[in-house]
Amino acid sequence: MFVLCQYSARVMHLPIKGFYQMKEKENNTIDLLVQLKLNENLKNSFSHCFVNLPFFNRGPVSVSECLTSQGNLSVSTADPRVLVWNIGQKFPSKTLEVILKATLRCDPSKKLSSLQQDEFCIGNNCYIQVYFKIADYSLTNCNIDSKTVQVTPSIKYKINSVTELQASDYKIWNSHGDAVVGFPAPKFLTIYRHVP
């Protein structure tokens, strides 16, 4: 079996809207709030849905207090600076919203030099990364009709067509920090006309 076609597309609406707020306090303590809301037009059935919360340049992270409306929060086994919020396979059907509130402790005295660092992610500059996959769904309504696929030379074959929506680089930046991504200014701000 091999992949015949993959594509990425720009969409008019976000599949999941999010809000992320992280504040550093004294004694290497961090308060955070994450709110995610599923678009009401999206299929509410995931193969997986989880959020990574990396805390680069701070050392290992531990959870002091945690309140989630759904799922569970744990420290990644691969990187002790990353928290993983496993939301599960569905958002709550009434609100389509999940919330995470937590208080964390960092140990900057333990240097983890063997792990990747991000020079931008210091202080309040940080992000969360959302990973999800929805089987049998497409935002673009692009489908492959397996009856119209032709193979040359003519042989017996079986076509298995699969459609899925998968997040690849879905970051939400801290509202109290700076963001790496900038948006271009609207044209009406960049076009200057001199009228005599």
Side-chain angles (χ1 to χ4, degrees):
M1 186 155 79
F2 64 94
V3 175
L4 174 65
C5 172
Q6 281 185 321
Y7 72 95
S8 60
R10 291 184 177 236
V11 292
M12 297 305 294
H13 57 275
L14 293 172
I16 297 175
K17 292 181 183 178
F19 175 75
Y20 176 43
Q21 188 175 63
M22 188 276 295
K23 286 186 179 181
E24 283 188 287
K25 297 174 12 182
E26 65 275 348
N27 300 328
N28 300 312
T29 304
I30 295 173
D31 282 340
L32 65 90
L33 169 67
V34 179
Q35 294 174 304
L36 300 176
K37 183 162 181 71
L38 183 67
N39 186 309
E40 58 273 355
N41 297 321
L42 202 65
K43 182 178 175 183
N44 190 9
S45 178
F46 297 90
S47 298
H48 64 262
C49 183
F50 63 93
V51 179
N52 278 358
L53 298 97
F55 293 95
F56 299 110
N57 306 309
R58 289 185 169 87
V61 177
S62 61
V63 180
S64 297
E65 296 176 34
C66 175
L67 175 65
T68 63
S69 63
Q70 179 166 314
N72 60 338
L73 185 69
S74 60
V75 177
S76 169
T77 54
D79 187 343
R81 303 167 304 164
V82 177
L83 293 176
V84 179
W85 179 20
N86 185 358
I87 295 170
Q89 295 181 324
K90 282 185 175 269
F91 276 55
S93 57
K94 285 187 179 182
T95 62
L96 298 178
E97 186 173 33
V98 292
I99 298 171
L100 163 68
K101 291 181 182 180
T103 301
L104 316 173
R105 294 194 55 83
C106 298
D107 189 355
S109 65
K110 294 184 179 177
K111 299 295 180 194
L112 302 167
S113 58
S114 63
L115 297 172
Q116 175 192 0
Q117 299 294 334
D118 188 331
E119 298 304 318
F120 182 78
C121 292
I122 55 173
N124 286 329
N125 296 341
C126 60
Y127 62 87
I128 61 173
Q129 191 149 9
V130 183
Y131 296 93
F132 63 88
K133 183 160 89 172
I134 303 174
D136 302 320
Y137 189 80
S138 167
L139 286 177
T140 61
N141 294 325
C142 180
N143 293 308
I144 296 174
D145 183 3
S146 59
K147 294 175 184 168
T148 61
V149 175
Q150 296 178 2
V151 177
T152 305
S154 185
I155 60 171
K156 277 193 144 188
Y157 59 88
K158 180 181 178 186
I159 293 185
N160 183 17
S161 178
V162 177
T163 303
E164 62 186 26
L165 174 64
Q166 185 168 343
S168 61
D169 193 19
Y170 206 101
K171 291 180 182 174
I172 301 170
W173 289 88
N174 181 17
S175 63
H176 291 298
D178 297 323
V180 173
V181 180
F183 294 96
K187 283 190 176 184
F188 71 89
L189 292 177
T190 58
I191 297 174
Y192 176 77
R193 293 184 183 170
H194 178 66
V195 180

